Amino acid sequence: MKILNSWRHIAAILCAFALAMPPVEARTKQGDKLLKLGAKAEGDQDYDKAVTYYEQALQEDAREPAYQLAAERAKRKAADQHIVAGRKLLEQQKLNEALIQFQKALLIDPSSPVSLQLVMQANAMIKERNKAPAGTLILTPAEQARHDLEQRINSLEGPPVLRPINNLITSLKMNNQPARVIYESIGKLAGINVLFDPSGIDTLGATNRNFNLDLNNATLEEALQYVALVTHTFWKPISRNAIFVTQESEPKRQEYQDEVVRVFYIQNASTPNEFTEIFNAVRIGSKLTQGLFQVATQNAIVARGTPDTMAVIEKLIHDLDRPKAEVLVDVMVWEVSKSKITNLGLALQNNGNNLLSVSPGSASSTTTTGTTTTGTTTGTTGTTSTTTNGTISLSRIGKLSTNDFTLTLPGAVAQALLTDSNSKLLQNPQVRVTDGGKGSLKIGEKIPYVSGSLNSAVATPGSIPYATTQFQQIDVGVNIDVEPHVNGPDDVSMHIKVEISSVVNTTTIAGVAQPVIGQKVNDSFVRMRDGEYSLLGGLSMDSDSLAVSGLPGVSNIPLLGYLFGTKARDREKDDILIALVPHIIRAQSVADQNNDGVLAGTERLVKVERKSEPQPAALPTPVTPAQTNPPAASPSPLGRPMPTAPVPTQPNPNPPNPSPPGAPQVPPPGGQADLLPPTKNPKMPMSAADSGGEVASQSQTAVAPNPK
């Protein structure tokens, strides 16, 4: 039995040692060495070597979590490194080298779907390169899709723009001619084609209505606009050298008026409210109730309408979307506080409720006790006792003396205390705010205070009702709120509020200590110039208080007052000065705005006019059949050269009747007017006769048939 107990003690000791010793690690020395080598290689960003070391460590102990985590981390980094290198090689068109990098990444991390996709993509690009001619740029599928999208977008044509051969009509006079003939004559002079609505261009119901026209030094667009206004017709360009003419009516406008779609990005609207204000202004200014949408997440406005409407919208956005001005405000706060407290005199100690007390003295009473024994005389024994009870019996009133009373004077403490404090505070914060924005600067701390409490009348079984206290926080320190508005290049209006607060005391309300906060607030609207130093406000407080305590009447005596009382004087002086200096660090530029406004058309129709460079009226060179070279191609809106129509040089199939030299040539009835060589004296403009209906210019003469 003793041997069994001894073994029990030995087993208990061994268990205690086993619990105290750290757990036996599963790592091996070789595995730890490989782990350190892998960490060093990982630090040198040689992740392939790190993966090799970590895999060798796993071969030593495959169940060690440290080896497993390190190997997984290194595999991920090594695969990412090969993927990045492969993508760079793809950009350099080194497809085979890129494929090798992607394959390495896939071998390191076979579970990565990205590596597998890149391997398939590189193989597809290599096959495409083998089919394509040498030097062809091979794009990735994503790049090819983006390239195709951009190509489709760039291939979209904008509104057609007229590119006439002759844009200036120096002189044109026509009398009693229909609208169709006038349009055709202008088209031949400018070298453009004129197409008409098959349903006709007469809107007034008169098929034989004629008009007169007299133009001098007018451009093609001006001439067409003049004819459209007089004949009440509507024209639009359908190509660089052709126009379409139809009736001026709302149905025809809706049927033939071209529309464009544009996206305008608002760059300087920093808040949703500012973006909405710009959108509403554009919608009202352009009178576009339909076809105008906003994309608030992109700060973009999508518009659909006529090219003239797009021009008006572009003008409005250009004038409204301006960078806001910014103001830097220097706020200076000076605070000087002086306090002087003087306490001088004798402070009498309180004796109960009275400064001077009178109490009666001790009253003595004597008691004599005697004993008599028959036959034996023992004697007489007397005992006298004195009792102090603070009372006087009526029998002793006539025997009172000064020994029966005591006079107690209160104690006094001499006080001579002087407290003198002087503090200065200078604060110079700066606030930078955009025009119309609000800037706040808070320097200090937040002080909690009780804002309310709620007592619960319902309690759970076995508990008492509970109370809930609500707390709020208040900013204590220097608080500055500024709202500036730039009125001009050097003028600023501001609403500024400066608050200086501090905890001056605490008070207990309903058992809770509440802070007492002293505040100095200045709230005002000011208007100042840039860099102007202005005193925003000042506060000067001077207080002098005197407190006298002591014996009534005696304490007011000039000299005895200090012996029988105390005088306390408190002098405080507090000066606060607040000043500010605004600086406009970014002014709003309004110099490039057109103060005269732009032409926007009528109430029903939006129409804009564009300024054109003045062109000198040079004399053109006569066209002869020997000149067969066409003029140079005019650039198109998309940057591609466009072919131009050659100058008509073919002879008229219906030759005009011979006429004397210098006389106008009249075509046969029903023939069209053709361009003719200029007269011998081009400086003398020819006038058309009322009966002949001729059209004359300085350089070209077109003859129209007489409708009569």
Side-chain angles (χ1 to χ4, degrees):
M1 193 66 180
K2 293 181 179 181
I3 297 174
L4 183 59
N5 291 334
S6 300
W7 281 108
R8 288 179 179 176
H9 289 296
I10 294 173
I13 294 173
L14 293 176
C15 291
F17 275 109
L19 293 176
M21 292 177 61
V24 179
E25 296 184 355
R27 298 181 182 178
T28 62
K29 293 183 179 180
Q30 183 64 23
D32 293 342
K33 182 179 179 180
L34 294 171
L35 183 64
K36 293 180 180 179
L37 292 175
K40 182 179 179 181
E42 191 174 355
D44 297 337
Q45 295 186 356
D46 191 356
Y47 300 113
D48 292 340
K49 185 181 293 184
V51 170
T52 302
Y53 286 135
Y54 292 149
E55 289 181 349
Q56 292 178 1
L58 284 174
Q59 293 177 1
E60 298 292 333
D61 188 356
R63 295 178 299 176
E64 175 56 36
Y67 300 162
Q68 296 176 357
L69 293 176
E72 292 296 330
R73 183 182 63 251
K75 287 181 180 179
R76 185 178 65 255
K77 292 182 178 180
D80 293 341
Q81 189 179 42
H82 287 293
I83 290 175
V84 172
R87 286 175 174 171
K88 291 182 179 180
L89 292 173
L90 280 182
E91 296 177 358
Q92 301 173 4
Q93 294 295 301
K94 299 179 180 179
L95 305 183
N96 295 328
E97 293 83 349
L99 178 60
I100 294 174
Q101 294 293 332
F102 295 148
Q103 289 175 348
K104 288 182 178 180
L106 184 60
L107 291 175
I108 293 175
D109 189 5
S111 62
S112 174
V114 177
S115 302
L116 182 59
Q117 292 176 0
L118 291 175
V119 168
M120 297 172 62
Q121 175 181 309
N123 287 325
M125 294 176 66
I126 291 174
K127 293 180 180 179
E128 185 178 354
R129 185 185 61 181
N130 296 333
K131 298 178 182 179
T136 304
L137 181 64
I138 306 302
L139 302 178
T140 64
E143 293 175 347
Q144 185 65 40
R146 184 167 58 251
H147 178 266
D148 295 341
L149 176 62
E150 293 178 355
Q151 189 175 9
R152 289 194 302 270
I153 293 175
N154 295 332
S155 64
L156 297 177
E157 289 284 353
V161 179
L162 279 177
R163 304 290 182 182
I165 298 175
N166 181 24
N167 194 37
L168 183 64
I169 300 176
T170 56
S171 179
L172 177 61
K173 185 176 182 180
M174 301 185 68
N175 295 325
N176 198 22
Q177 297 297 322
R180 180 184 294 268
V181 175
I182 296 177
Y183 273 110
E184 289 177 346
S185 301
I186 294 177
K188 288 197 175 288
L189 291 177
I192 62 173
N193 300 320
V194 181
L195 304 179
F196 296 96
D197 188 0
S199 61
I201 61 175
D202 295 326
T203 59
L204 302 179
T207 58
N208 57 351
R209 183 175 176 83
N210 298 332
F211 305 91
N212 299 328
L213 181 65
D214 190 358
L215 297 176
N216 293 306
N217 294 325
T219 63
L220 173 62
E221 187 173 357
E222 292 173 349
L224 293 176
Q225 293 293 348
Y226 181 77
V227 174
L229 181 63
V230 172
T231 61
H232 200 68
T233 54
F234 157 61
W235 67 274
K236 71 168 187 176
I238 58 176
S239 66
R240 61 177 181 82
N241 60 351
I243 62 173
F244 177 79
V245 183
T246 184
Q247 302 174 5
E248 175 58 55
S249 61
E250 190 66 27
K252 293 296 182 179
R253 283 277 182 179
Q254 295 179 357
E255 182 178 359
Y256 292 109
Q257 181 70 62
D258 294 331
E259 292 186 350
V260 295
V261 178
R262 287 192 60 182
V263 179
F264 301 92
Y265 289 95
I266 308 300
Q267 300 178 357
N268 298 295
S270 56
T271 61
N273 188 24
E274 295 176 0
F275 176 75
T276 303
E277 289 180 355
I278 294 177
F279 174 77
N280 292 333
V282 171
R283 179 174 54 84
I284 297 174
S286 62
K287 295 184 178 180
L288 192 61
T289 57
Q290 296 180 352
L292 193 66
F293 310 95
Q294 61 174 329
V295 184
T297 57
Q298 299 293 331
N299 271 11
I301 296 177
V302 181
R304 178 186 175 90
T306 63
D308 293 335
T309 304
M310 295 299 106
V312 174
I313 293 176
E314 185 177 20
K315 167 66 176 174
L316 292 174
I317 292 178
H318 174 266
D319 293 343
L320 293 175
D321 188 19
R322 295 300 181 96
K324 286 191 173 183
E326 290 187 83
V327 180
L328 180 65
V329 183
D330 286 331
V331 183
M332 289 165 282
V333 181
W334 291 275
E335 182 177 0
V336 179
S337 179
K338 296 181 180 180
S339 177
K340 186 176 182 180
I341 302 175
T342 304
N343 217 344
L344 184 63
L346 293 176
L348 300 179
Q349 292 183 349
N350 192 6
N351 184 15
N353 295 326
N354 300 318
L355 296 178
L356 180 63
S357 63
V358 179
S359 61
S362 61
S364 301
S365 60
T366 304
T367 303
T368 303
T369 304
T371 304
T372 304
T373 303
T374 304
T376 304
T377 302
T378 306
T380 302
T381 302
T383 303
T384 302
S385 62
T386 302
T387 306
T388 302
N389 51 13
T391 59
I392 302 175
S393 64
L394 295 177
S395 60
R396 291 184 55 82
I397 292 178
K399 300 179 181 181
L400 293 177
S401 64
T402 57
N403 295 329
D404 296 325
F405 293 91
T406 60
L407 177 62
T408 303
L409 295 177
V413 178
Q415 294 183 354
L417 180 63
L418 175 63
T419 302
D420 190 358
S421 62
N422 188 356
S423 63
K424 297 181 180 180
L425 177 63
L426 173 62
Q427 296 177 344
N428 186 15
Q430 290 183 337
V431 183
R432 181 171 178 175
V433 196
T434 59
D435 182 19
K438 182 178 180 180
S440 299
L441 178 64
K442 300 182 184 295
I443 304 175
E445 57 187 1
K446 289 183 177 291
I447 302 298
Y449 66 94
V450 177
S451 61
S453 61
L454 176 64
N455 295 326
S456 175
V458 180
T460 58
S463 63
I464 60 176
Y466 61 90
T468 302
T469 304
Q470 299 177 353
F471 288 88
Q472 290 187 0
Q473 293 182 342
I474 186 173
D475 295 319
V476 175
V478 178
N479 302 325
I480 300 174
D481 295 331
V482 181
E483 296 182 17
H485 175 66
V486 179
N487 303 105
D490 56 354
D491 198 6
V492 182
S493 298
M494 287 187 296
H495 174 213
I496 185 167
K497 180 179 180 182
V498 180
E499 177 182 347
I500 303 174
S501 58
S502 62
V503 179
V504 297
N505 199 357
T506 57
T507 182
T508 302
I509 301 176
V512 181
Q514 299 284 351
V516 179
I517 299 175
Q519 290 183 334
K520 302 177 182 68
V521 181
N522 187 289
D523 191 348
S524 60
F525 289 87
V526 295
R527 181 164 181 167
M528 303 171 59
R529 297 181 66 85
D530 183 11
E532 180 182 356
Y533 181 90
S534 177
L535 179 64
L536 184 63
L539 174 63
S540 180
M541 183 182 64
D542 193 354
S543 64
D544 190 356
S545 62
L546 176 63
V548 179
S549 62
L551 293 177
V554 181
S555 59
N556 295 327
I557 300 176
L559 295 179
L560 297 180
Y562 292 101
L563 298 177
F564 295 95
T566 302
K567 294 183 178 181
R569 182 180 296 275
D570 186 1
R571 293 181 179 179
E572 294 184 1
K573 187 175 182 181
D574 194 358
D575 295 331
I576 296 179
L577 187 65
I578 302 174
L580 58 88
V581 181
H583 302 282
I584 301 177
I585 58 178
R586 178 183 294 172
Q588 185 175 5
S589 177
V590 295
D592 57 343
Q593 293 185 0
N594 187 3
N595 297 326
D596 298 335
V598 295
L599 181 65
T602 62
E603 180 70 19
R604 186 182 62 86
L605 178 64
V606 178
K607 187 65 177 177
V608 298
E609 297 289 342
R610 299 189 180 273
K611 298 178 181 179
S612 59
E613 295 292 336
Q615 299 179 359
L619 297 177
T621 305
V623 179
T624 61
Q627 296 177 347
T628 57
N629 295 329
S634 301
S636 67
L638 298 180
R640 297 189 297 270
M642 288 187 174
T644 57
V647 178
T649 58
Q650 299 294 334
N652 192 353
N654 298 322
N657 298 328
S659 59
Q665 299 180 5
V666 181
Q672 298 293 333
D674 294 333
L675 294 177
L676 301 178
T679 60
K680 295 182 179 180
N681 188 7
K683 295 184 179 180
M684 298 294 295
M686 298 179 61
S687 60
D690 295 342
S691 60
E694 295 127 349
V695 180
S697 66
Q698 292 183 3
S699 58
Q700 299 168 346
T701 303
V703 180
N706 188 355
K708 296 182 181 180

